[in-house]
Amino acid sequence: MGSAGLARLQGLFAVYKPPGLKWLHLRDTVEMQLLKGLNARKPPAPKQRIRFLLCPVEGSEKKELTLTATSVPTLTDHPLVCGPAFSSLKIGVGHRLDVQSSGVFVLGVGQGCKLLTDLYDAHLTKDYTVRGLLGKATDNFQEDGRLVEKTTYDHVTREKLERILSVIQGSHQKALVMYSSLDLQSQEAYEMAVRGMIRPMDKSPMLISGIRCLHFSPPEFLLEVQCMHETQQQLRKLVHEIGLELKTSAICSQVRRTRDGLFTLDDALLRTQWDLHSIQAAIQAVAPRVAAELEKNMRPQLGTQPLPSPGWPSGSKDLGSALGLESCVGH
């Protein structure tokens, strides 16, 4: 089971990181649980070898000794002699979450560490739910920070909030096109925009591809943010800036990642499931989706050269329509 179990651990899986837990401690806990499962197997029967031992001669009254060929176990491979079969595992982490944040956290074991790099280079988007509180401002944009000011928020309505969110989404989508290095006059650029495949070619600032209000009950509001190249602190700062745009102040009370690329909350293992069997099953279940996603994203991106297309309405305005930028103008 040891080597066979290790073979089934080659790949990616996701766990649910609770708030207040450091990502490094989470990784070490998962490694410890996997090693415990791999080493829990019943050791095989020890090999036998022939040794010549002094034994009394049967029927001799003088207690004479003679050398007798005897089969004895070889203890060089016994766990009490050589230690556990597995003492460490190669476990990599995907996009990190800070201590206060929670949600989907992707890990890779063995060959899965290379897959983590491939997914990172694919620049996949991530989804967050971000909870804000109106009327307060702190030095770190969180509830546990030092209070800087208190403001009124009676004038804030959901319509005003959604108008600000529309402007934010429009400006970030324009930046997304700029960092994607695509030719706006090409048919491929338009088709990629329609399929939502436009992504930056390299590292970029935080880019928001979608943001909307899920719940508004002053002073609380809940946002859903689809973004890439973000940090959780940048999302908290975004809540602060939204408060300023609304002529008030706001702090962030919760950041929760609900999707990391192709991994969703349904794929994330809870703390009680961080064991060898559950992780092996999770890796095997998600492997086909990982392969399909990498195959789709590793294809060379087209659209760097304009292509003739009969009847194709070329122009950056049409690409802007595909991205939904025109609806943000004037808000």
Side-chain angles (χ1 to χ4, degrees):
M1 175 182 173
S3 58
L6 185 61
R8 293 196 299 271
L9 277 177
Q10 306 293 315
L12 301 177
F13 65 99
V15 299
Y16 187 88
K17 176 194 169 302
L21 180 66
K22 295 183 178 179
W23 68 265
L24 184 58
H25 181 67
L26 185 153
R27 180 214 166 274
D28 293 343
T29 302
V30 169
E31 181 183 15
M32 180 183 66
Q33 291 296 107
L34 290 177
L35 291 174
K36 182 178 178 181
L38 289 172
N39 291 319
R41 64 185 179 90
K42 183 179 180 180
K47 298 178 180 179
Q48 302 290 320
R49 63 174 181 171
I50 302 299
R51 294 192 63 184
F52 289 91
L53 303 177
L54 286 173
C55 298
V57 178
E58 295 182 4
S60 175
E61 297 179 356
K62 299 181 179 180
K63 297 182 180 181
E64 297 179 356
L65 299 178
T66 184
L67 289 175
T68 305
T70 307
S71 177
V72 297
T74 301
L75 300 178
T76 54
D77 297 331
H78 196 280
L80 295 179
V81 176
C82 62
F86 300 93
S87 58
S88 64
L89 287 173
K90 184 179 180 182
I91 299 181
V93 299
H95 299 105
R96 299 174 183 175
L97 287 169
D98 59 26
V99 178
Q100 295 84 2
S101 304
S102 62
V104 180
F105 187 67
V106 181
L107 298 167
V109 184
Q111 296 298 323
C113 296
K114 181 182 182 302
L115 298 178
L116 285 174
T117 303
D118 294 337
L119 289 179
Y120 180 86
D121 294 337
H123 304 286
L124 301 178
T125 59
K126 298 177 282 296
D127 290 354
Y128 290 86
T129 54
V130 181
R131 190 178 302 276
L133 288 174
L134 297 169
K136 293 181 181 180
T138 60
D139 59 348
N140 64 352
F141 316 126
Q142 302 179 71
E143 285 184 298
D144 59 356
R146 181 175 60 85
L147 185 64
V148 176
E149 66 174 351
K150 287 187 176 181
T151 54
T152 59
Y153 53 86
D154 296 340
H155 61 283
V156 179
T157 62
R158 181 163 187 157
E159 290 72 23
K160 291 181 179 179
L161 174 60
E162 291 180 341
R163 190 178 303 120
I164 296 298
L165 300 182
S166 179
V167 173
I168 292 174
Q169 179 171 322
S171 61
H172 277 260
Q173 285 179 331
K174 291 179 181 178
L176 179 61
V177 175
M178 180 183 68
Y179 281 103
S180 65
S181 303
L182 289 172
D183 181 6
L184 302 185
Q185 304 297 324
S186 64
Q187 179 176 355
E188 285 75 14
Y190 181 84
E191 292 176 349
M192 290 176 67
V194 171
R195 297 195 304 267
M197 292 290 293
I198 290 186
R199 293 166 188 162
M201 300 294 292
D202 205 348
K203 188 63 178 175
S204 71
M206 179 179 71
L207 296 173
I208 297 174
S209 57
I211 182 171
R212 65 190 180 108
C213 179
L214 296 178
H215 178 71
F216 184 78
S217 179
E220 288 192 350
F221 61 93
L222 183 65
L223 305 178
E224 182 183 59
V225 184
Q226 186 180 40
C227 54
M228 61 187 73
H229 299 170
E230 80 295 336
T231 64
Q232 289 77 55
Q233 188 63 12
Q234 287 176 326
L235 293 174
R236 298 185 184 101
K237 186 179 179 181
L238 176 65
V239 172
H240 169 74
E241 293 173 347
I242 289 174
L244 296 179
E245 291 293 331
L246 292 170
K247 303 298 187 294
T248 182
S249 55
I251 58 174
C252 180
S253 60
Q254 182 190 57
V255 176
R256 182 171 180 251
R257 183 190 288 164
T258 58
R259 182 181 64 85
D260 186 350
L262 58 94
F263 294 90
T264 65
L265 288 174
D266 293 334
D267 302 310
L269 301 176
L270 301 178
R271 177 64 182 85
T272 55
Q273 299 173 304
W274 297 355
D275 57 78
L276 177 64
H277 178 73
S278 298
I279 292 176
Q280 286 175 333
I283 290 176
Q284 300 302 315
V286 80
R289 290 161 48 199
V290 172
E293 186 69 32
L294 290 178
E295 181 182 1
K296 179 177 67 174
N297 287 280
M298 291 306 169
R299 295 170 184 170
Q301 291 194 12
L302 302 177
T304 55
Q305 298 294 331
L307 299 176
S309 173
W312 168 256
S314 63
S316 59
K317 180 179 179 181
D318 301 298
L319 181 58
S321 300
L323 288 170
L325 299 182
E326 290 183 345
S327 61
C328 300
V329 178
H331 287 288

PDB file of all heavy atoms in Angstrom, residues 122-125 176 179-182 192 196-202 228 293 296-297 301:
ATOM      1  N   ALA A 122      -1.260  30.051 -16.296  1.00  0.00           N
ATOM      2  CA  ALA A 122      -2.496  30.184 -17.070  1.00  0.00           C
ATOM      3  C   ALA A 122      -3.292  31.420 -16.667  1.00  0.00           C
ATOM      4  O   ALA A 122      -4.225  31.804 -17.375  1.00  0.00           O
ATOM      5  CB  ALA A 122      -3.362  28.942 -16.910  1.00  0.00           C
ATOM      6  N   HIS A 123      -2.946  32.056 -15.534  1.00  0.00           N
ATOM      7  CA  HIS A 123      -3.597  33.290 -15.071  1.00  0.00           C
ATOM      8  C   HIS A 123      -5.115  33.114 -14.970  1.00  0.00           C
ATOM      9  O   HIS A 123      -5.895  33.902 -15.516  1.00  0.00           O
ATOM     10  CB  HIS A 123      -3.267  34.459 -16.011  1.00  0.00           C
ATOM     11  CG  HIS A 123      -1.801  34.692 -16.183  1.00  0.00           C
ATOM     12  ND1 HIS A 123      -1.020  35.273 -15.205  1.00  0.00           N
ATOM     13  CD2 HIS A 123      -0.952  34.402 -17.215  1.00  0.00           C
ATOM     14  CE1 HIS A 123       0.237  35.345 -15.624  1.00  0.00           C
ATOM     15  NE2 HIS A 123       0.302  34.824 -16.834  1.00  0.00           N
ATOM     16  N   LEU A 124      -5.538  32.068 -14.290  1.00  0.00           N
ATOM     17  CA  LEU A 124      -6.964  31.822 -14.101  1.00  0.00           C
ATOM     18  C   LEU A 124      -7.532  32.783 -13.060  1.00  0.00           C
ATOM     19  O   LEU A 124      -6.830  33.247 -12.160  1.00  0.00           O
ATOM     20  CB  LEU A 124      -7.196  30.380 -13.661  1.00  0.00           C
ATOM     21  CG  LEU A 124      -6.692  29.292 -14.612  1.00  0.00           C
ATOM     22  CD1 LEU A 124      -6.950  27.921 -14.017  1.00  0.00           C
ATOM     23  CD2 LEU A 124      -7.343  29.412 -15.983  1.00  0.00           C
ATOM     24  N   THR A 125      -8.817  33.072 -13.194  1.00  0.00           N
ATOM     25  CA  THR A 125      -9.460  33.994 -12.260  1.00  0.00           C
ATOM     26  C   THR A 125      -9.858  33.265 -10.977  1.00  0.00           C
ATOM     27  O   THR A 125      -9.949  32.040 -10.937  1.00  0.00           O
ATOM     28  CB  THR A 125     -10.711  34.623 -12.888  1.00  0.00           C
ATOM     29  OG1 THR A 125     -11.623  33.587 -13.263  1.00  0.00           O
ATOM     30  CG2 THR A 125     -10.338  35.436 -14.110  1.00  0.00           C
ATOM     31  N   LEU A 176      -7.546  45.088 -18.393  1.00  0.00           N
ATOM     32  CA  LEU A 176      -7.336  43.690 -18.746  1.00  0.00           C
ATOM     33  C   LEU A 176      -6.991  43.541 -20.214  1.00  0.00           C
ATOM     34  O   LEU A 176      -6.104  42.769 -20.588  1.00  0.00           O
ATOM     35  CB  LEU A 176      -8.594  42.887 -18.408  1.00  0.00           C
ATOM     36  CG  LEU A 176      -8.579  41.394 -18.732  1.00  0.00           C
ATOM     37  CD1 LEU A 176      -7.478  40.690 -17.948  1.00  0.00           C
ATOM     38  CD2 LEU A 176      -9.934  40.765 -18.422  1.00  0.00           C
ATOM     39  N   TYR A 179      -3.301  44.715 -20.684  1.00  0.00           N
ATOM     40  CA  TYR A 179      -2.271  43.786 -20.219  1.00  0.00           C
ATOM     41  C   TYR A 179      -2.294  42.460 -20.977  1.00  0.00           C
ATOM     42  O   TYR A 179      -1.363  41.662 -20.854  1.00  0.00           O
ATOM     43  CB  TYR A 179      -2.456  43.515 -18.725  1.00  0.00           C
ATOM     44  CG  TYR A 179      -1.932  44.620 -17.845  1.00  0.00           C
ATOM     45  CD1 TYR A 179      -2.800  45.527 -17.246  1.00  0.00           C
ATOM     46  CD2 TYR A 179      -0.562  44.775 -17.620  1.00  0.00           C
ATOM     47  CE1 TYR A 179      -2.324  46.550 -16.439  1.00  0.00           C
ATOM     48  CE2 TYR A 179      -0.082  45.799 -16.827  1.00  0.00           C
ATOM     49  CZ  TYR A 179      -0.967  46.681 -16.232  1.00  0.00           C
ATOM     50  OH  TYR A 179      -0.491  47.700 -15.446  1.00  0.00           O
ATOM     51  N   SER A 180      -3.335  42.190 -21.756  1.00  0.00           N
ATOM     52  CA  SER A 180      -3.396  40.940 -22.505  1.00  0.00           C
ATOM     53  C   SER A 180      -2.545  40.966 -23.764  1.00  0.00           C
ATOM     54  O   SER A 180      -2.293  39.923 -24.359  1.00  0.00           O
ATOM     55  CB  SER A 180      -4.841  40.624 -22.886  1.00  0.00           C
ATOM     56  OG  SER A 180      -5.342  41.601 -23.784  1.00  0.00           O
ATOM     57  N   SER A 181      -2.101  42.143 -24.201  1.00  0.00           N
ATOM     58  CA  SER A 181      -1.247  42.295 -25.395  1.00  0.00           C
ATOM     59  C   SER A 181      -1.899  41.723 -26.644  1.00  0.00           C
ATOM     60  O   SER A 181      -1.240  41.136 -27.497  1.00  0.00           O
ATOM     61  CB  SER A 181       0.119  41.637 -25.164  1.00  0.00           C
ATOM     62  OG  SER A 181       0.761  42.176 -24.038  1.00  0.00           O
ATOM     63  N   LEU A 182      -3.209  41.861 -26.763  1.00  0.00           N
ATOM     64  CA  LEU A 182      -3.927  41.369 -27.927  1.00  0.00           C
ATOM     65  C   LEU A 182      -4.097  42.474 -28.953  1.00  0.00           C
ATOM     66  O   LEU A 182      -4.158  43.660 -28.609  1.00  0.00           O
ATOM     67  CB  LEU A 182      -5.306  40.837 -27.531  1.00  0.00           C
ATOM     68  CG  LEU A 182      -5.351  39.526 -26.747  1.00  0.00           C
ATOM     69  CD1 LEU A 182      -6.771  39.252 -26.272  1.00  0.00           C
ATOM     70  CD2 LEU A 182      -4.849  38.369 -27.595  1.00  0.00           C
ATOM     71  N   MET A 192     -12.147  35.565 -28.121  1.00  0.00           N
ATOM     72  CA  MET A 192     -11.633  35.308 -26.778  1.00  0.00           C
ATOM     73  C   MET A 192     -12.386  36.143 -25.749  1.00  0.00           C
ATOM     74  O   MET A 192     -12.637  35.699 -24.625  1.00  0.00           O
ATOM     75  CB  MET A 192     -10.137  35.606 -26.716  1.00  0.00           C
ATOM     76  CG  MET A 192      -9.282  34.610 -27.487  1.00  0.00           C
ATOM     77  SD  MET A 192      -7.531  35.049 -27.488  1.00  0.00           S
ATOM     78  CE  MET A 192      -7.134  34.812 -25.755  1.00  0.00           C
ATOM     79  N   GLY A 196     -14.665  34.822 -22.593  1.00  0.00           N
ATOM     80  CA  GLY A 196     -14.055  35.168 -21.320  1.00  0.00           C
ATOM     81  C   GLY A 196     -12.644  34.652 -21.179  1.00  0.00           C
ATOM     82  O   GLY A 196     -12.189  34.360 -20.070  1.00  0.00           O
ATOM     83  N   MET A 197     -11.927  34.532 -22.290  1.00  0.00           N
ATOM     84  CA  MET A 197     -10.585  33.958 -22.284  1.00  0.00           C
ATOM     85  C   MET A 197      -9.477  35.006 -22.282  1.00  0.00           C
ATOM     86  O   MET A 197      -8.299  34.662 -22.294  1.00  0.00           O
ATOM     87  CB  MET A 197     -10.411  33.055 -23.519  1.00  0.00           C
ATOM     88  CG  MET A 197     -11.248  31.806 -23.508  1.00  0.00           C
ATOM     89  SD  MET A 197     -10.686  30.629 -22.284  1.00  0.00           S
ATOM     90  CE  MET A 197      -9.091  30.192 -22.968  1.00  0.00           C
ATOM     91  N   ILE A 198      -9.836  36.294 -22.297  1.00  0.00           N
ATOM     92  CA  ILE A 198      -8.795  37.322 -22.305  1.00  0.00           C
ATOM     93  C   ILE A 198      -8.160  37.390 -20.920  1.00  0.00           C
ATOM     94  O   ILE A 198      -8.840  37.623 -19.921  1.00  0.00           O
ATOM     95  CB  ILE A 198      -9.374  38.686 -22.718  1.00  0.00           C
ATOM     96  CG1 ILE A 198      -9.750  38.658 -24.201  1.00  0.00           C
ATOM     97  CG2 ILE A 198      -8.384  39.798 -22.451  1.00  0.00           C
ATOM     98  CD1 ILE A 198     -10.200  39.983 -24.736  1.00  0.00           C
ATOM     99  N   ARG A 199      -6.846  37.188 -20.888  1.00  0.00           N
ATOM    100  CA  ARG A 199      -6.097  37.201 -19.642  1.00  0.00           C
ATOM    101  C   ARG A 199      -4.756  37.876 -19.879  1.00  0.00           C
ATOM    102  O   ARG A 199      -4.261  37.899 -21.005  1.00  0.00           O
ATOM    103  CB  ARG A 199      -5.874  35.771 -19.135  1.00  0.00           C
ATOM    104  CG  ARG A 199      -7.165  35.077 -18.714  1.00  0.00           C
ATOM    105  CD  ARG A 199      -6.976  33.598 -18.554  1.00  0.00           C
ATOM    106  NE  ARG A 199      -8.275  32.949 -18.341  1.00  0.00           N
ATOM    107  CZ  ARG A 199      -8.470  31.672 -18.508  1.00  0.00           C
ATOM    108  NH1 ARG A 199      -7.492  30.894 -18.879  1.00  0.00           N
ATOM    109  NH2 ARG A 199      -9.670  31.146 -18.294  1.00  0.00           N
ATOM    110  N   PRO A 200      -4.145  38.404 -18.841  1.00  0.00           N
ATOM    111  CA  PRO A 200      -2.832  39.041 -19.014  1.00  0.00           C
ATOM    112  C   PRO A 200      -1.788  38.018 -19.418  1.00  0.00           C
ATOM    113  O   PRO A 200      -1.835  36.851 -19.005  1.00  0.00           O
ATOM    114  CB  PRO A 200      -2.548  39.634 -17.631  1.00  0.00           C
ATOM    115  CG  PRO A 200      -3.410  38.871 -16.691  1.00  0.00           C
ATOM    116  CD  PRO A 200      -4.640  38.500 -17.458  1.00  0.00           C
ATOM    117  N   MET A 201      -0.834  38.453 -20.216  1.00  0.00           N
ATOM    118  CA  MET A 201       0.229  37.571 -20.667  1.00  0.00           C
ATOM    119  C   MET A 201       1.318  37.411 -19.616  1.00  0.00           C
ATOM    120  O   MET A 201       2.104  36.476 -19.657  1.00  0.00           O
ATOM    121  CB  MET A 201       0.825  38.117 -21.968  1.00  0.00           C
ATOM    122  CG  MET A 201      -0.159  38.226 -23.112  1.00  0.00           C
ATOM    123  SD  MET A 201      -0.738  36.617 -23.670  1.00  0.00           S
ATOM    124  CE  MET A 201       0.769  35.969 -24.397  1.00  0.00           C
ATOM    125  N   ASP A 202       1.388  38.310 -18.682  1.00  0.00           N
ATOM    126  CA  ASP A 202       2.429  38.274 -17.659  1.00  0.00           C
ATOM    127  C   ASP A 202       1.863  38.828 -16.357  1.00  0.00           C
ATOM    128  O   ASP A 202       0.671  39.118 -16.267  1.00  0.00           O
ATOM    129  CB  ASP A 202       3.642  39.088 -18.133  1.00  0.00           C
ATOM    130  CG  ASP A 202       4.932  38.628 -17.462  1.00  0.00           C
ATOM    131  OD1 ASP A 202       4.837  37.863 -16.480  1.00  0.00           O
ATOM    132  OD2 ASP A 202       6.022  39.029 -17.906  1.00  0.00           O
ATOM    133  N   MET A 228      -7.979  38.495 -10.590  1.00  0.00           N
ATOM    134  CA  MET A 228      -6.724  37.769 -10.745  1.00  0.00           C
ATOM    135  C   MET A 228      -5.579  38.660 -10.276  1.00  0.00           C
ATOM    136  O   MET A 228      -5.699  39.889 -10.244  1.00  0.00           O
ATOM    137  CB  MET A 228      -6.516  37.329 -12.199  1.00  0.00           C
ATOM    138  CG  MET A 228      -6.438  38.467 -13.200  1.00  0.00           C
ATOM    139  SD  MET A 228      -6.404  37.914 -14.915  1.00  0.00           S
ATOM    140  CE  MET A 228      -8.091  37.381 -15.131  1.00  0.00           C
ATOM    141  N   GLU A 293      -8.290  21.591 -18.384  1.00  0.00           N
ATOM    142  CA  GLU A 293      -8.059  23.023 -18.222  1.00  0.00           C
ATOM    143  C   GLU A 293      -6.685  23.425 -18.713  1.00  0.00           C
ATOM    144  O   GLU A 293      -6.523  24.444 -19.395  1.00  0.00           O
ATOM    145  CB  GLU A 293      -8.224  23.415 -16.746  1.00  0.00           C
ATOM    146  CG  GLU A 293      -8.141  24.906 -16.479  1.00  0.00           C
ATOM    147  CD  GLU A 293      -9.339  25.659 -17.032  1.00  0.00           C
ATOM    148  OE1 GLU A 293     -10.438  25.091 -17.057  1.00  0.00           O
ATOM    149  OE2 GLU A 293      -9.153  26.822 -17.440  1.00  0.00           O
ATOM    150  N   LYS A 296      -6.529  23.382 -22.491  1.00  0.00           N
ATOM    151  CA  LYS A 296      -7.213  24.532 -23.075  1.00  0.00           C
ATOM    152  C   LYS A 296      -6.373  25.804 -22.963  1.00  0.00           C
ATOM    153  O   LYS A 296      -6.334  26.608 -23.891  1.00  0.00           O
ATOM    154  CB  LYS A 296      -8.553  24.730 -22.385  1.00  0.00           C
ATOM    155  CG  LYS A 296      -9.352  25.924 -22.901  1.00  0.00           C
ATOM    156  CD  LYS A 296     -10.700  26.009 -22.224  1.00  0.00           C
ATOM    157  CE  LYS A 296     -10.564  26.342 -20.753  1.00  0.00           C
ATOM    158  NZ  LYS A 296     -11.874  26.570 -20.109  1.00  0.00           N
ATOM    159  N   ASN A 297      -5.683  25.964 -21.850  1.00  0.00           N
ATOM    160  CA  ASN A 297      -4.964  27.207 -21.606  1.00  0.00           C
ATOM    161  C   ASN A 297      -3.535  27.196 -22.112  1.00  0.00           C
ATOM    162  O   ASN A 297      -2.925  28.265 -22.236  1.00  0.00           O
ATOM    163  CB  ASN A 297      -4.949  27.508 -20.102  1.00  0.00           C
ATOM    164  CG  ASN A 297      -6.291  27.971 -19.602  1.00  0.00           C
ATOM    165  OD1 ASN A 297      -6.670  29.116 -19.752  1.00  0.00           O
ATOM    166  ND2 ASN A 297      -7.042  27.044 -19.007  1.00  0.00           N
ATOM    167  N   GLN A 301      -1.781  31.481 -27.622  1.00  0.00           N
ATOM    168  CA  GLN A 301      -2.799  32.516 -27.770  1.00  0.00           C
ATOM    169  C   GLN A 301      -2.657  33.198 -29.119  1.00  0.00           C
ATOM    170  O   GLN A 301      -1.580  33.658 -29.488  1.00  0.00           O
ATOM    171  CB  GLN A 301      -2.669  33.543 -26.655  1.00  0.00           C
ATOM    172  CG  GLN A 301      -3.044  32.993 -25.292  1.00  0.00           C
ATOM    173  CD  GLN A 301      -3.239  34.099 -24.294  1.00  0.00           C
ATOM    174  OE1 GLN A 301      -3.318  35.259 -24.668  1.00  0.00           O
ATOM    175  NE2 GLN A 301      -3.304  33.741 -23.039  1.00  0.00           N
TER     176      GLN A 301
END
